[in-house]
Amino acid sequence: MNSNKKVACPLDCYDACQAEVLDDNLKGSKENSVTNGKLCVNFASLLKEENLQMPIYNNEKISLDESLEILSQKLKNTDASNSLFYTGSGNLGVMQNSTKNFFTQYGSVLTKGSLCDGGGGLGIEQGRGSVVNPPIQRLIDSDIIIVWGRNFSVTSSHMYNLVKDKTFVTIDPIKTDIAKKSEIHMQINPKTDYELALLLTRFANMQDIEDEEFLEEHTEGSDWFFDITRNRPVVSYEATTGVPLSLINDFFELIENKKISIVVGLGVQKYFEGAQIMRCIDSFASYLGIPKKESGGVWYLSDSAYAYEDQFKVEGKNKKVAIPEVDFSSYDLVFIQGANPVVSSPNTKKVIEGLKNSFVVCFSTTYNDTCEYADLIIPSSSFLSKKDVRLSYGHEHKAISQIIEDANENTISEYDLASYLIENFAFKALKSEDEIIDYYANTKVEYEEFETFEFIEEVDVEPLYKNKTSSNFYLITGKSKNSLNSQFIIDNHVYLNPLSGFKNDDNVKIFSPFGEACFTVKVSDDIKNECAFFYTGNKKTNYLTPNKEDEESFSAMFQEVLIEIELSNTI
Ligand SMILES: Nc1nc2c(c(=O)[nH]1)N[C@H]1C(S)=C(S)[C@@H](COP(=O)(O)OP(=O)(O)OC[C@H]3O[C@@H](n4cnc5c(=O)[nH]c(N)nc54)[C@H](O)[C@@H]3O)O[C@H]1N2
Ligand SMILES: Nc1nc2c(c(=O)[nH]1)N[C@H]1C(S)=C(S)[C@@H](COP(=O)(O)OP(=O)(O)OC[C@H]3O[C@@H](n4cnc5c(=O)[nH]c(N)nc54)[C@H](O)[C@@H]3O)O[C@H]1N2
Ligand code: SF4
Ligand SMILES: [Mo]
């Protein structure tokens, strides 16, 4: 390995770390202030992955050339409008977008919305116009960090390291690692965050700490928003949110005259009205004038490609389907890249049935759960053998990938596969690989403050507690330290509070209106009573989740469901 060559961590994670080759080893780069010389356990696992070595067709190993020929023939013999192009987030480098260019020109059906941050993103966009995080320095310069529905120290461990000495407040139904490190933990009932945001706004007004100048000059609709907060008696929020009013008082004492940041995660928005919920939180922040302060701000999963010109863009009239509602069985050909929908998409039973009824091509680095149902598997080259640039959705630094290892000759990069297919079909060629990479590596994006914030003026959210019976549990999922979504070390337990009546190692069957599955119980005080917690990547959870799009953003709403748990003899 050549010393000082750079490698971007390709994993889907806020931190977007920069690694470099030092003394024949890959180390975290010290020049990148977020990476700060360290890489995480998932990066170590990635280096140990057993990557696919050969393409596979009908369970037989074949050469790369043969696999490309089969793919081309299949594409030529299929009506493009009966094919689906489906990508996930196995590698977040910009070069992953190469193949979308080909499939757009070819005429495949594409997906819209997301399995991840779509609802919350739309809520922020509706208020501020775009989903862009403030510069990371403003987080470092704040005194108090409110961690709202995000497992901050686990899912963005490097960003956390930059601010670990701050005072934290956590709002989460689970006693997460960051909740345990927090001065105040509001162990909120699931899907009541919009109520809490309204309550906090009401208190802010009572304490006279709204930012009148900011509201006057840079916002629209604050009066309407404030009116919504007055619709209910303050005490009524205590029962619905599960947050005692005394904690709200403590909170306002703690934040008085402090520089405040709010880091919001996926937890608040995995619901039908995810956009509205996020917008209520953003509206509370604006009520306090947080966005205009020189220190502090609101962070979410930002649009990492914001203000960049899409280097792969090509006009197309392709049909688009909402990603959680994809019915794989309705296509003659499905091309899946960098994704493991058998574990990651909602309604696993439907996903598997669909894949069984279609010709499935998996383009991935590893043999994942979805490859089980593939007719053709094409190995993607390792990230160590691909040039790339990694933009971040957590902060403004980017990471660069140079080639440090020769690619295995029976694997292919996304750019080379796209170029091969484009040539074969005589479509419009991509820009050169270097031109694309240089553009992303060298374009500097300046942070631009939004001009006007538009408050949410009407809130219409159907709470889950409304239809919840005493035997129902809320379904909660969250990321694990030792896995990256469906990759690496997977924990398949269901975690329950001791008050649930279940015991460690009980085998249970869990039902939802969408499906059923068996799990083994782990009991933990960290889980709020009436919640069932599963780590993301659990192979069974998505048997229980709705394959329906949310209200406005075409995205998944994994937690818009109530479940029942029964003891069972089978597993
Ligand atoms: N180690 C590790 N890091 C990762 C990942 C990983 O798999 N492993 N995945 C990456 C990816 S793809 C993403 S998108 C990010 C996501 O990272 P985060 O934004 O941290 O998202 P989650 O872990 O899904 O959920 C965050 C928290 O929301 C809480 N929560 C659930 N429901 C509610 C609710 O109704 N209200 C509130 N207030 N909280 C709720 C959960 O208990 C959980 O602690 O992390 C990235 N980083
Ligand atoms: N119930 C529930 N479901 C969830 C979530 C949840 O919190 N709860 N989280 C959701 C979220 S936030 C996300 S982002 C999704 C993620 O779900 P997916 O997009 O399915 O991501 P991964 O599970 O990381 O799987 C990615 C696959 O990409 C492949 N891969 C890795 N590197 C490369 C590469 O360089 N090239 C190619 N071609 N392939 C590669 C690997 O083989 C790997 O198996 O899951 C979602 N699903
Ligand atoms: S913290 Fe995230 S970006 Fe950094 S090495 Fe780990 S997985 Fe990669
Ligand atoms: Mo995600």
Side-chain angles (χ1 to χ4, degrees), residues 15-19 27-39 157-159 161-162 164 397:
D15 289 350
C17 289
Q18 178 73 68
K27 295 266 165 64
S29 166
K30 288 203 171 112
E31 276 161 40
N32 182 307
S33 58
V34 179
T35 306
N36 196 18
K38 290 187 208 83
L39 299 166
S157 56
H158 290 82
M159 285 177 67
N161 262 335
L162 297 174
K164 59 177 185 295
H397 301 296

Side-chain angles (χ1 to χ4, degrees), residues 230-399:
R230 286 196 305 203
N231 285 347
R232 279 171 56 176
V234 161
V235 285
S236 72
Y237 286 100
E238 196 159 9
T240 54
T241 62
V243 179
L245 291 182
S246 59
L247 264 193
I248 308 284
N249 278 322
D250 295 347
F251 172 77
F252 279 98
E253 254 170 51
L254 190 72
I255 67 165
E256 201 182 344
N257 297 322
K258 294 289 191 328
K259 294 177 257 175
I260 305 163
S261 285
I262 309 185
V263 291
V264 191
L266 290 193
V268 304
Q269 55 92 64
K270 298 179 183 182
Y271 303 106
F272 182 67
E273 306 91 340
Q276 290 193 53
I277 298 171
M278 181 69 222
R279 201 166 165 204
C280 286
I281 295 171
D282 217 19
S283 292
F284 161 65
S286 281
Y287 198 72
L288 295 183
I290 290 177
K292 78 132 206 235
K293 309 264 188 328
E294 272 164 27
S295 317
V298 180
W299 276 259
Y300 180 61
L301 286 87
S302 79
D303 171 4
S304 59
Y306 178 74
Y308 289 89
E309 282 168 30
D310 182 354
Q311 297 299 296
F312 303 93
K313 200 173 164 68
V314 59
E315 294 309 322
K317 294 204 176 79
N318 308 60
K319 189 180 159 202
K320 290 187 179 163
V321 287
I323 190 160
E325 297 200 348
V326 162
D327 175 2
F328 291 104
S329 73
S330 59
Y331 304 94
D332 295 334
L333 169 64
V334 172
F335 184 94
I336 299 174
Q337 171 181 316
N340 190 8
V342 164
V343 176
S344 310
S345 289
N347 200 334
T348 308
K349 188 161 178 253
K350 188 99 194 286
V351 170
I352 292 176
E353 280 165 7
L355 293 171
K356 281 183 180 165
N357 281 310
S358 175
F359 186 91
V360 177
V361 182
C362 275
F363 180 37
S364 59
T365 45
T366 57
Y367 189 91
N368 63 29
D369 309 76
T370 306
C371 291
E372 283 286 317
Y373 304 93
D375 298 279
L376 176 65
I377 303 173
I378 304 181
S380 166
S381 307
S382 154
F383 74 110
L384 301 172
S385 317
K386 293 191 280 213
K387 287 191 217 172
D388 219 327
V389 178
R390 171 77 211 273
L391 309 172
S392 164
Y393 56 79
H395 52 78
E396 67 271 23
H397 301 296
K398 47 192 164 196

Side-chain angles (χ1 to χ4, degrees), residues 97-162:
N97 296 316
S98 310
T99 38
K100 186 173 175 194
N101 175 296
F102 166 76
F103 282 96
T104 307
Q105 297 197 62
Y106 171 70
S108 284
V109 176
L110 309 174
T111 62
K112 59 185 172 181
S114 105
L115 297 182
C116 175
D117 58 333
L122 182 67
I124 292 189
E125 198 184 316
Q126 288 167 342
R128 311 187 211 161
S130 55
V131 196
V132 186
N133 286 335
I136 190 85
Q137 191 60 41
R138 293 202 194 172
L139 185 69
I140 297 170
D141 290 341
S142 54
D143 306 313
I144 304 255
I145 300 181
I146 303 168
V147 178
W148 203 325
R150 173 155 160 179
N151 196 357
F152 188 47
S153 53
V154 168
T155 57
S156 31
S157 56
H158 290 82
M159 285 177 67
Y160 167 70
N161 262 335
L162 297 174

Side-chain angles (χ1 to χ4, degrees), residues 12-14 42 116 148-151 154-155 171-174 176 188 190-191 193 265-268 270-271 301 393 476-481 483-485 533 559:
D12 183 350
C13 164
Y14 293 96
N42 285 317
C116 175
W148 203 325
R150 173 155 160 179
N151 196 357
V154 168
T155 57
I171 304 168
D172 201 304
I174 309 296
T176 54
I188 191 168
K191 207 189 173 184
D193 300 272
L266 290 193
V268 304
K270 298 179 183 182
Y271 303 106
L301 286 87
Y393 56 79
I476 310 267
T477 56
K479 313 294 180 190
S480 147
K481 188 171 178 208
S483 66
L484 208 297
N485 297 329
F533 178 84
Q559 294 184 183

Side-chain angles (χ1 to χ4, degrees), residues 9 96 124 184 205 207 305 313 352 422 447 493 528-529:
C9 172
Q96 291 290 307
I124 292 189
I184 296 176
N205 176 273
Q207 313 227 347
K313 200 173 164 68
I352 292 176
I422 286 170
Y447 175 67
H493 292 95
K528 184 158 183 154
N529 192 23

